[in-house]
Amino acid sequence: MAALRVFVLGATGYIGSTFLDLLLKKESTARQYTFRALVRSQEKADKDIRPQGIEPVLGSLNDVALIEEEAANADIVLNFADADHLTSVQAILRGLSRRPRWEEGRRRPILIHTSGTGVLLDGADGQFASNTVYYDNDVAQLNTLEISQPHRVVDIEIINPALVGVVDTYIVAPPTIWGFGTGRGNTNSIQIPLQIATSLKYGQAMQIGKGRNLWSKVHVIDLAHFYISLLERATQEPQDPDEVYPLGYPLPKNEDAYYFVQEGDDFAYGDVAKEIAKVFQRIGINDSGEVNGTEPEEESAYWPEASNVLLGGNSRSRAVKAKEILGWEPKYTDFVGYINEEIHRQKDLLDGKNSQ
């Protein structure tokens, strides 16, 4: 069978670069896939993409004609880029839908899109913990999500019933991602580093409101391994209804596209602030051990835009399908250790700048 043609968006991002690093280390990958990746600059193409044996495609998410054409020539599109960039996702779907369904020797095309459990957020602003937990195998519950939720307008394009039998679509919705990535590109997350950076700026552990809101979490390497498992299993899906399914039943997709990827217990961002306060006390940044919680009216004075969304809402998810269907087992659990390491990393960077 010919190698599957893969087009990647977000190849130098935190998730995408870690996924590619791990996938390309597998001996079977070179036989199974060929890769092309969208990249914004020649410098990144030469530095981060070509050395991995990936063919760079120069462009941005706004180059929708280019993206549509690349998708039309691909068997698989892996989208690790902006979860809210609607026109690029529409271009991907147009391109994948253009390809003749039974092109000789080729399977039905696949889209694995990265969303996020921001789609589950409420407006807690750090004031309360929610008892609402979303399960990725509960389609009826997920269908109650309003189109006004973050990422939802894009996700709805991907779960469109008209794509059934035309494109196999999957949505991976990670929660708070922690840990350091291994790929060529961005190697760190957004949420925890943002809370730490703001705390270092003011020399005081900071949180949104009372810090009571809860999020689920996953380590970036565990997340990357999940993507690999999903990709490998998705490529085994039968192309004909009469074929035997590897698991005895279809892999959930299309209208049942959501896959959550969560490990361990949920955490409160207030507990992250308390850990920051402990470390600050230990290393002499602030001896008080106290946390400063900002109220809604003062958030703009302390925090970058949208921090109340990233750090203040409740977003609780359970990875039922990942664990029960794909057998995904997360291995990384030292969340507190990561917080400590990230504080020291950022402090060392600041100390280096201040000494220049």
Side-chain angles (χ1 to χ4, degrees):
M1 182 176 178
L4 295 170
R5 303 167 296 196
V6 182
F7 179 50
V8 185
L9 300 88
T12 61
Y14 178 49
I15 303 172
S17 64
T18 301
F19 161 82
L20 286 170
D21 177 60
L22 297 180
L23 180 65
L24 292 169
K25 286 176 179 174
K26 298 188 68 171
E27 290 184 7
S28 59
T29 296
R31 298 191 303 273
Q32 292 176 308
Y33 312 105
T34 62
F35 294 91
R36 294 170 65 84
L38 188 71
V39 62
R40 283 175 290 188
S41 71
Q42 190 65 54
E43 179 185 6
K44 278 185 170 287
D46 294 338
K47 176 186 172 188
D48 299 325
I49 300 300
R50 285 192 192 280
Q52 299 183 85
I54 299 171
E55 184 65 27
V57 177
L58 290 178
S60 76
L61 293 180
N62 294 322
D63 294 320
V64 293
L66 172 66
I67 290 170
E68 180 177 342
E69 194 61 30
E70 288 292 330
N73 291 316
D75 298 297
I76 301 165
V77 174
L78 304 175
N79 188 12
F80 302 104
D82 185 347
D84 297 306
H85 201 282
L86 178 61
T87 56
S88 62
V89 169
Q90 290 171 329
I92 291 167
L93 292 171
R94 285 196 304 270
L96 290 174
S97 300
R98 269 173 47 193
R99 206 190 71 190
R101 181 178 174 186
W102 299 116
E103 180 185 350
E104 187 176 353
R106 296 288 174 181
R107 56 153 294 120
R108 190 165 54 244
I110 294 168
L111 169 61
I112 298 179
H113 170 78
T114 303
S115 179
T117 62
V119 73
L120 312 178
L121 279 167
D122 57 17
D125 231 350
Q127 300 301 320
F128 62 88
S130 173
N131 291 323
T132 302
V133 179
Y134 289 86
Y135 295 81
D136 63 4
N137 66 336
D138 190 339
V139 178
Q141 183 193 34
L142 295 172
N143 283 343
T144 66
L145 294 169
E146 298 290 341
I147 197 167
S148 57
Q149 287 294 105
H151 317 320
R152 183 65 170 162
V153 67
V154 173
D155 293 352
I156 283 175
E157 293 278 332
I158 295 166
I159 62 177
N160 185 344
L163 294 171
V164 174
V166 179
V167 181
D168 290 351
T169 62
Y170 305 87
I171 298 173
V172 181
T176 291
I177 311 171
W178 60 279
F180 298 105
T182 62
R184 290 173 175 262
N186 180 25
T187 57
N188 210 350
S189 189
I190 297 172
Q191 290 165 286
I192 302 300
L194 170 60
Q195 188 170 8
I196 290 169
T198 303
S199 299
L200 283 168
K201 179 178 179 179
Y202 295 105
Q204 169 87 59
M206 302 287 290
Q207 66 186 25
I208 300 290
K210 294 180 172 62
R212 292 173 178 166
N213 57 297
L214 299 171
W215 271 75
S216 305
K217 64 187 186 302
V218 69
H219 192 283
V220 65
I221 293 177
D222 284 329
L223 175 59
H225 281 299
F226 168 75
Y227 276 99
I228 293 172
S229 296
L230 179 60
L231 172 64
E232 291 176 345
R233 178 62 182 77
T235 60
Q236 297 172 27
E237 280 293 274
Q239 302 301 287
D240 188 294
D242 295 330
E243 291 182 56
V244 177
Y245 289 94
L247 296 175
Y249 50 86
L251 183 65
K253 64 177 80 64
N254 293 99
E255 294 166 285
D256 189 12
Y258 278 109
Y259 285 79
F260 295 148
V261 195
Q262 141 277 335
E263 61 84 12
D265 296 329
D266 296 341
F267 72 97
Y269 269 96
D271 290 336
V272 176
K274 289 174 186 175
E275 186 61 32
I276 293 170
K278 287 180 189 175
V279 177
F280 279 15
Q281 195 173 34
R282 190 164 63 242
I283 64 179
I285 291 177
N286 189 314
D287 292 335
S288 71
E290 295 178 354
V291 173
N292 180 27
T294 53
E295 295 306 315
E297 62 273 12
E298 59 183 352
E299 282 166 6
S300 62
Y302 286 91
W303 297 92
E305 186 178 358
S307 296
N308 63 319
V309 177
L310 289 168
L311 307 178
N314 290 284
S315 177
R316 308 185 66 188
S317 59
R318 294 295 177 266
V320 179
K321 292 191 286 192
K323 294 172 182 176
E324 294 187 359
I325 296 177
L326 293 174
W328 175 74
E329 296 182 1
K331 304 287 195 303
Y332 291 82
T333 58
D334 191 8
F335 183 53
V336 170
Y338 166 70
I339 295 169
N340 278 259
E341 190 173 354
E342 177 61 12
I343 291 170
H344 286 283
R345 188 192 71 83
Q346 290 196 28
K347 182 178 181 299
D348 288 346
L349 288 173
L350 288 171
D351 289 346
K353 287 181 181 178
N354 293 335
S355 66
Q356 290 178 358

